[in-house]
Amino acid sequence: MSAPTVQEKKKVDLSRLRNIGIVAHIDAGKTTVAERMLYYTGRTHRIGEVDDGNATMDWMDQEQERGITIVSAATSTEWRDHRITLIDTPGHVDFTVEVERSLRVLDGAVALFCGVEGVEPQSEVVWRQAEKYEVPAIAFVNKMDRAGANFERVLEQMEDRLAASPVAAVLPLYKDDEFVGIMDLIDEKAVYYADEDLGRTYHEEPIPEDRLDEFQSLRDRLVQQVCEHDEELFEKYCMDEHIEPGELRSALRKATLAREAVPVFCGSGLKNKGIQRLMDAVVDYLPSPEDLPPVVGIKGEDEEVKRTHTRDEPLAALAFKVVTDRHVGKMVYVRVYSGMLQEGTYVYNAENEKRERVGRLMQMHADHEEKRERLEAGEIGVVVGLSDTTTGDSLCEEEHPIVLENIEFPAPVLSVSVQPSSRADRDKLLNALSRLSDEDPTFTVAYNSETGETVISGMGELHLQVILERLRREFNVSPAVGEPKVAYRETITENSAFEYKHVKQTGGHGEYAHVVLQVEPLPAGSGFEFEDEIKGGDIPKEYIPSVEKGIVEVMAEGIYAHSPIVDLKVRLLEGSHHEVDSSERAFNKCAKKAFREAFTRGKPRLLEPVCSVMVTAPDEYSGAVSSSLSSRRARITSMEQRGERNIQVVNAMVPLAEMFGYSSELRNLTAGRAEFDMRFEHYEPVPRSIADEIVERKREEAEQD
Ligand code: GDP
């Protein structure tokens, strides 16, 4: 083992860590701003322009081409002797699960808005997600160089649309209509950025004479806003005493951490202005792990365990992202909450109860990976070598188990079959799919070895589209893709029995088997039960498993609508055998036939997956939301007003089959201002009139196969 570096020997100073993410509407300039942050901190040697498709944070080819950031990667950098770890968060609505995943592990957020477009509907969606995780935030109004940018308007929108309490800490500075820099309301300085070196250097000057009045009145506003959160300062303010910049900053920090204020900065990522002040703000106002309440987990059944953010407690770490890298292999991104991860030691995965060896540890930088021997409480890094760990797993010590609150992933809603174009492609496809589903808990793969059909399921059309593109680019397979489908099931509604004798006499050995089967419906979710009631060896013991196996095989294929059969009990009542002609094979065949008949006589019924759907939308859209849900066979279970922000929450139970195209319909219906969450709940009978049509279709499909 190599000697520890100086950094490894000394304890990580928690107060100097900032784990942050930039949350933004797509196109607000997140990648551009993140790039500048990394550039000014000296970690990247040249600026990767998004428009050239060269940005450091955009790892995948595909992202670069689409210009959207899908994968959250945690990149560390240094600023003012603090380590800032930037967790990239995607802005596209179909990938909100990625946003949630990163919000779970970051401590503070930079909310990014476009100075022209302001607080866009999607900014509201991501903002609400950040609120859910109670993440303190600062804001950056980007693109101040564009015509029509309006800083004050964005502040108003933050108040109106987000119900936030923005505190402007800077003002934009224009010269002959050109955006040249910012005025710092706390330090009372005008800051100009050099054009020659991409804004790396800047100089400060007094506030320009012609802006002094405006500056003073806005500074008064800031002082007043900040003092409201600090009694001592408030007194000083009332006495008209001078308040030092340092005092303002520490009061504003307290208010930000308490989520009572959002300090707002502005600039232009593209024109290299205002970014250093934003970095300062990350250090000045966003929390360090020391500022956080203890992390809460569960031990055993439901015993609550708390861990403070220190390396002196037992290990508690959360795997929040898994990436398979062509060179490195499986990389598990972890957030260490307490204790430490050490290279070469064993950790206990409290989720799957397995012990795994920590291979290599790394901290990711924009342009290189730094090898680490330990990752301590408060740190975010990568573990290589954990083959059984997946997203959401907790890592700890076996003697001190803890399951951290898991990330809630919505169930996949859309499935399509994928068919490799050649036999040679089949293994490649399955291998690629298993890797991709490892990385992404909202993406699942099912392979039916009998039909050879592979079905992939995900969160929406774009999600599956991205997966298919990744298959093509990264794994070089382009399967044929089927129509999106819902998984139906079938069951019976009445008891029924059938007697069948399987007899064949064609020279030599004949075939003989005889069973009487009774089928009975079971409550939803009960699955399958089999009861052997044969007495006195009418059917010898060795043939019973063949009877059950025959039934299970038919259940998997389905009868009524060629969908898997669930929720019934089969009783093997009677039967007989023949000394010579009976065999396992004969009983298997006989049971299949008897079961098919008994089932068909039991009045079969089609079942469909039903989801609970929660739509959150501004009040004015609630009528449109509920009528669109009703037209999709929804049962609206509740409608409630949330908070003082005029947000209406509509809860409904809706058949999954009716939810195709819903996210785009909802987006259109509400100008993108609604958010919806959909979870599979259970199976329910399909109304007869609709069932007939589906059954017909499924039968036709089965005949074609
Ligand atoms: P993301 O989708 O939020 O990551 O946004 P990008 O960083 O990819 O930026 C989207 C587009 O806005 C790109 O064409 C950028 O060049 C452009 N852009 C980003 N920041 C600025 C800015 O400050 N000013 C102007 N005028 N354009 C910007």
Side-chain angles (χ1 to χ4, degrees):
M1 221 186 268
S2 56
T5 60
V6 178
Q7 188 199 2
E8 295 285 351
K9 275 188 202 155
K10 74 173 190 232
K11 197 168 170 173
V12 171
D13 181 353
L14 285 182
S15 69
R16 293 183 184 278
L17 296 184
R18 298 288 180 277
N19 297 315
I20 63 153
I22 303 179
V23 295
H25 181 279
I26 188 163
D27 254 15
K30 188 175 56 195
T31 314
T32 308
V33 169
E35 276 298 313
R36 293 329 187 250
M37 290 173 116
L38 297 173
Y39 174 68
Y40 297 133
T41 55
R43 286 290 187 180
T44 37
H45 300 299
R46 70 191 181 84
I47 288 186
E49 291 286 352
V50 179
D51 299 329
D52 308 342
N54 229 335
T56 317
M57 296 281 287
D58 274 348
W59 280 15
M60 294 154 37
D61 300 355
Q62 194 186 332
E63 277 181 55
Q64 298 198 3
E65 219 164 82
R66 284 172 177 257
I68 60 174
T69 314
I70 300 162
V71 174
S72 310
T75 312
S76 296
T77 191
E78 303 223 336
W79 186 250
R80 275 180 31 194
D81 216 14
H82 286 66
R83 190 198 310 150
I84 297 177
T85 298
L86 196 57
I87 297 147
D88 195 15
T89 56
H92 198 284
V93 67
D94 281 3
F95 296 93
T96 48
V97 61
E98 294 267 5
V99 184
E100 301 240 344
R101 186 190 275 171
S102 39
L103 288 173
R104 174 71 175 78
V105 297
L106 53 81
D107 303 331
V110 175
L112 194 72
F113 303 106
C114 167
V116 182
E117 314 289 343
V119 177
E120 292 171 86
Q122 279 315 307
S123 334
E124 290 180 47
V125 173
V126 282
W127 181 268
R128 267 183 242 132
Q129 278 175 320
E131 279 193 328
K132 190 161 105 188
Y133 290 92
E134 303 186 342
V135 177
I138 59 176
F140 186 75
V141 182
N142 191 34
K143 305 199 186 184
M144 291 309 297
D145 59 298
R146 278 183 53 190
N150 187 334
F151 186 59
E152 280 296 319
R153 188 177 58 211
V154 181
L155 294 172
E156 281 164 23
Q157 289 174 343
M158 286 180 68
E159 258 172 331
D160 292 348
R161 299 189 179 167
L162 306 177
S165 308
V167 176
V170 301
L171 293 177
L173 189 54
Y174 292 89
K175 199 169 174 185
D176 303 329
D177 280 347
E178 192 191 335
F179 178 61
V180 289
I182 54 174
M183 293 186 278
D184 187 319
L185 287 168
I186 293 180
D187 284 335
E188 301 185 72
K189 298 263 167 51
V191 192
Y192 298 88
Y193 296 83
D195 280 331
E196 317 77 76
D197 62 354
L198 298 166
R200 187 182 271 277
T201 52
Y202 56 89
H203 71 280
E204 294 175 349
E205 284 183 24
I207 304 301
E209 286 290 334
D210 59 334
R211 300 290 298 277
L212 260 180
D213 286 350
E214 179 201 0
F215 181 87
Q216 268 318 329
S217 84
L218 291 173
R219 185 170 200 275
D220 282 349
R221 178 178 74 179
L222 165 104
V223 173
Q224 197 182 339
Q225 283 173 326
V226 173
C227 291
E228 273 171 18
H229 298 285
D230 189 300
E231 264 176 49
E232 241 172 78
L233 282 197
F234 188 70
E235 265 170 42
K236 268 188 159 179
Y237 172 75
C238 294
M239 309 291 285
D240 233 357
E241 281 178 41
H242 183 73
I243 299 173
E244 294 296 324
E247 292 177 298
L248 281 175
R249 268 195 276 272
S250 79
L252 186 52
R253 176 177 180 82
K254 265 198 292 185
T256 310
L257 296 186
R259 298 174 53 247
E260 287 164 2
V262 180
V264 188
F265 297 79
C266 74
S268 163
L270 190 68
K271 297 288 158 68
N272 312 303
K273 292 178 175 59
I275 305 295
Q276 290 93 336
R277 280 294 199 272
L278 175 64
M279 302 286 284
D280 287 341
V282 167
V283 168
D284 289 339
Y285 305 115
L286 290 179
S288 84
E290 260 181 356
D291 299 309
L292 307 176
V295 63
V296 182
I298 298 289
K299 181 177 165 183
E301 279 299 297
D302 54 4
E303 186 189 336
E304 195 179 280
V305 199
K306 281 188 183 164
R307 294 278 167 80
T308 47
H309 300 258
T310 151
R311 78 169 186 183
D312 303 327
E313 290 218 16
L315 171 70
L318 183 75
F320 66 96
K321 177 141 193 81
V322 175
V323 176
T324 311
D325 179 271
R326 241 174 296 192
H327 308 291
V328 184
K330 185 169 167 180
M331 301 165 70
V332 178
Y333 279 83
V334 292
R335 158 85 197 232
V336 184
Y337 287 96
S338 63
M340 51 187 144
L341 277 168
Q342 297 211 62
E343 189 187 62
T345 61
Y346 279 84
V347 287
Y348 180 68
N349 182 330
E351 217 77 41
N352 61 18
E353 303 183 353
K354 281 187 180 160
R355 264 158 53 88
E356 288 208 85
R357 187 170 179 278
V358 175
R360 270 188 297 152
L361 291 173
M362 296 188 297
Q363 194 183 318
M364 310 301 286
H365 298 277
D367 54 353
H368 73 289
E369 303 147 12
E370 181 187 344
K371 184 178 175 317
R372 299 287 307 269
E373 294 194 344
R374 291 197 299 267
L375 285 175
E376 298 188 10
E379 295 195 290
I380 289 178
V382 168
V383 192
V384 181
L386 302 177
S387 52
D388 286 321
T389 298
T390 55
T391 303
D393 285 355
S394 303
L395 301 174
C396 53
E397 292 161 22
E398 199 163 355
E399 315 80 69
H400 304 281
I402 180 169
V403 175
L404 299 163
E405 184 203 349
N406 209 332
I407 307 171
E408 273 187 40
F409 296 115
V413 293
L414 201 65
S415 303
V416 290
S417 69
V418 285
Q419 191 72 39
S421 45
S422 68
R423 199 171 272 271
D425 265 4
R426 207 193 70 170
D427 290 347
K428 224 156 82 178
L429 176 71
L430 291 180
N431 175 38
L433 289 175
S434 102
R435 280 225 215 154
L436 291 172
S437 65
D438 245 10
E439 290 179 13
D440 180 353
T442 62
F443 172 66
T444 59
V445 182
Y447 175 64
N448 183 331
S449 58
E450 258 176 41
T451 59
E453 195 185 41
T454 303
V455 175
I456 60 172
S457 311
M459 293 314 301
E461 270 172 82
L462 182 61
H463 189 193
L464 293 180
Q465 215 175 313
V466 166
I467 298 271
L468 292 168
E469 273 183 44
R470 288 190 65 185
L471 283 178
R472 192 158 55 80
R473 268 162 215 270
E474 291 171 40
F475 301 93
N476 202 22
V477 272
S478 308
V481 181
E483 287 291 308
K485 273 186 192 157
V486 162
Y488 292 98
R489 290 184 179 170
E490 52 190 74
T491 190
I492 46 163
T493 54
E494 285 179 11
N495 291 3
S496 104
F498 193 74
E499 174 170 8
Y500 185 66
K501 211 177 261 183
H502 174 76
V503 188
K504 240 184 184 174
Q505 265 156 345
T506 43
H509 261 309
E511 283 186 21
Y512 181 94
H514 169 211
V515 298
V516 181
L517 295 183
Q518 158 109 353
V519 293
E520 297 172 7
L522 286 181
S526 317
F528 169 60
E529 283 175 29
F530 178 76
E531 223 168 85
D532 166 22
E533 295 176 15
I534 296 295
K535 289 180 206 80
D538 287 346
I539 300 177
K541 280 269 167 274
E542 68 257 39
Y543 298 140
I544 305 289
S546 309
V547 173
E548 182 171 356
K549 189 159 165 267
I551 296 167
V552 169
E553 282 165 5
V554 174
M555 286 182 71
E557 289 165 12
I559 299 169
Y560 172 55
H562 300 279
S563 305
I565 294 171
V566 293
D567 302 336
L568 55 74
K569 174 171 172 173
V570 179
R571 291 163 61 199
L572 173 56
L573 299 179
E574 284 171 47
S576 63
H577 73 287
H578 184 275
E579 282 306 327
V580 182
D581 291 348
S582 282
S583 64
E584 286 177 7
R585 199 178 121 90
F587 272 100
N588 181 280
K589 276 190 184 171
C590 179
K592 280 183 171 171
K593 178 83 179 167
F595 177 66
R596 279 203 182 94
E597 276 303 322
F599 182 89
T600 308
R601 285 156 196 249
K603 296 226 163 66
R605 174 152 81 174
L606 191 66
L607 303 173
E608 64 181 343
V610 170
C611 302
S612 60
V613 175
M614 184 178 86
V615 184
T616 314
D619 236 0
E620 66 255 43
Y621 298 110
S622 61
V625 167
S626 44
S627 65
S628 112
L629 282 173
S630 299
S631 74
R632 293 172 180 271
R633 291 201 278 134
R635 235 179 22 247
I636 293 183
T637 48
S638 73
M639 287 178 81
E640 69 202 55
Q641 188 85 23
R642 190 173 284 177
E644 68 287 2
R645 275 184 295 133
N646 299 331
I647 294 290
Q648 187 89 22
V649 182
V650 182
N651 283 298
M653 299 295 279
V654 196
L656 175 61
E658 301 289 338
M659 290 301 284
F660 287 150
Y662 186 66
S663 70
S664 48
E665 183 190 323
L666 187 66
R667 230 174 286 166
N668 294 338
L669 217 56
T670 62
R673 297 187 57 195
E675 193 187 357
F676 89 103
D677 179 72
M678 170 163 149
R679 260 157 239 262
F680 164 70
E681 285 291 331
H682 52 248
Y683 276 83
E684 274 183 30
V686 181
R688 188 58 75 182
S689 54
I690 296 164
D692 289 347
E693 217 175 281
I694 298 167
V695 171
E696 191 59 36
R697 200 181 66 226
K698 303 279 287 179
R699 283 186 182 164
E700 276 168 20
E701 281 169 10
E703 271 163 30
Q704 280 165 13
D705 283 348

